[in-house]
Amino acid sequence: MDGELEQKIEGYIRGEVKKMQLKSKTVTGGAGSEVIYEIRPKDNDSAFVNVLSNMRGVESAVMVSYDGNYAA
């Protein structure tokens, strides 16, 4: 993913959520890159994930709920 596309995607997400923080970024040669953001959605709205997954350059978009507890 090129820098311009990454900025466009990040800007879109930032406009759709209350809070956003980069947690992880992996860049793999010609295979692209993967970014993980911790977000706080507006009003628990997940519709933006559908739009995000259809954007040029995005292969998949996943939203996972996390309550702060890991099951051991």
Side-chain angles (χ1 to χ4, degrees):
M1 176 181 324
D2 66 31
E4 185 178 319
L5 180 57
E6 186 174 338
Q7 287 178 347
K8 178 181 175 185
I9 292 167
E10 183 177 315
Y12 172 74
I13 297 169
R14 196 171 298 283
E16 296 295 317
V17 300
K18 291 181 193 177
K19 176 187 172 191
M20 177 176 155
Q21 182 177 4
L22 179 66
K23 290 302 205 176
S24 173
K25 179 175 179 178
T26 304
V27 179
T28 55
S33 60
E34 173 181 281
V35 290
I36 298 172
Y37 294 104
E38 179 179 331
I39 64 164
R40 186 166 314 266
K42 296 176 181 174
D43 302 318
N44 290 323
D45 183 18
S46 63
F48 75 93
V49 177
N50 298 332
V51 175
L52 183 63
S53 69
N54 289 317
M55 292 178 88
R56 182 185 65 82
V58 176
E59 289 187 24
S60 67
V62 179
M63 189 167 125
V64 178
S65 176
Y66 173 67
D67 64 5
N69 295 316
Y70 285 110

